[in-house]
Amino acid sequence: GDSVTQMEGPVTLSEEAFLTINCTYTATGYPSLFWYVQYPGEGLQLLLKATKADDKGSNKGFEATYRKETTSFHLEKGSVQVSDSAVYFCALSGNTPLVFGKGTRLSVIA
Amino acid sequence: SAVISQKPSRDICQRGTSLTIQCQVDSQVTMMFWYRQQPGQSLTLIATANQGSEATYESGFVIDKFPISRPNLTFSTLTVSNLSPEDSSIYLCSVPKGRNRRETQYFGPGTRLLVL
């Protein structure tokens, strides 16, 4: 079945550092790909999405490109802030509504 | 975007009891989804609740343990029955942005359940 694998955390970065969180997927057909973020004590929020190959999703300085050839959707940000500290979930929507990765906890220190 | 509220936001329950979680959406939606997020884990889909029909459960989840009601297009409840400590999780409801279940989903704030 469909599955998502994302890098294990936690990830700790200093403010203004570059962020990459790797995400790869296995799916039949052409899934939509998502990054969701969960801030401390809050529910999940959509961060960005891409619906077809080579699409780039972007929001709040975060970017991810749908790479069909490598079945990847890595999340990047050029300069992280303390307020980006959260858990990030990669997800796909194919034959089921959403299949999530295990989540990567990011802590950004000043 | 849809605004989703859940009640209660958190609860502590004794084993063997049940907890019913309410999910209210500010607009009419055909599908609502219920997820479980166990401590330190990802989200797992429990079931899809469609108005006017029985919920569709994912593998590993059964109606006797997780009965769901969907009385109208803006409301659903999930009951977690015969609680055990293993049921301690965050339970979230969500709705798709459009009519397609593959669409972006909007999530409620979650219900944090601790079973003693």
Side-chain angles (χ1 to χ4, degrees):
Chain A
D2 297 350
S3 67
V4 173
T5 302
Q6 62 181 104
M7 62 186 285
E8 298 279 336
V11 174
T12 302
L13 296 173
S14 298
E15 208 166 22
E16 299 183 2
F18 185 85
L19 168 71
T20 299
I21 301 178
N22 290 336
C23 172
T24 58
Y25 67 91
T26 301
T28 55
Y30 302 93
S32 296
L33 301 174
F34 305 85
W35 278 99
Y36 282 83
V37 58
Q38 187 174 35
Y39 296 104
E42 299 184 14
L44 265 74
Q45 303 174 25
L46 176 69
L47 180 60
L48 54 85
K49 72 173 185 180
T51 58
K52 61 183 187 294
D54 299 325
D55 266 3
K56 177 186 283 188
S58 61
N59 185 27
K60 299 182 180 180
F62 291 90
E63 292 183 341
T65 300
Y66 190 145
R67 301 286 188 200
K68 190 164 177 61
E69 65 276 14
T70 55
T71 62
S72 65
F73 194 55
H74 305 320
L75 182 67
E76 297 183 336
K77 186 174 185 181
S79 176
V80 294
Q81 306 299 312
V82 172
S83 56
D84 294 326
S85 298
V87 181
Y88 292 82
F89 293 93
C90 185
L92 70 81
S93 182
N95 294 322
T96 58
L98 275 177
V99 174
F100 285 89
K102 292 189 175 182
T104 303
R105 181 175 299 278
L106 170 66
S107 295
V108 181
I109 54 177
Chain B
S1 65
V3 177
I4 305 172
S5 60
Q6 287 185 231
K7 290 181 180 179
S9 59
R10 59 179 66 231
D11 207 343
I12 301 173
C13 298
Q14 298 297 319
R15 68 175 67 205
T17 63
S18 298
L19 176 70
T20 295
I21 302 166
Q22 299 178 8
C23 179
Q24 180 76 53
V25 187
D26 68 343
S27 57
Q28 294 185 339
V29 293
T30 304
M31 288 177 288
M32 295 177 75
F33 305 109
W34 286 99
Y35 288 84
R36 180 177 72 183
Q37 184 181 16
Q38 294 177 299
Q41 300 298 313
S42 186
L43 284 79
T44 303
L45 180 66
I46 297 172
T48 302
N50 296 305
Q51 197 272 333
S53 63
E54 284 200 6
T56 304
Y57 289 84
E58 299 299 309
S59 176
F61 298 95
V62 296
I63 187 171
D64 289 347
K65 176 68 175 177
F66 298 98
I68 288 171
S69 78
R70 184 79 202 277
N72 58 53
L73 292 173
T74 63
F75 186 80
S76 177
T77 67
L78 169 74
T79 299
V80 189
S81 304
N82 190 24
L83 289 168
S84 68
E86 292 71 34
D87 295 319
S88 298
S89 296
I90 301 173
Y91 293 86
L92 301 102
C93 65
S94 73
V95 301
K97 181 179 179 181
R99 294 177 181 272
N100 188 336
R101 56 190 252 149
R102 295 179 50 164
E103 282 274 9
T104 300
Q105 289 188 31
Y106 299 110
F107 284 83
T111 295
R112 295 173 181 272
L113 169 62
L114 176 63
V115 183
L116 302 177

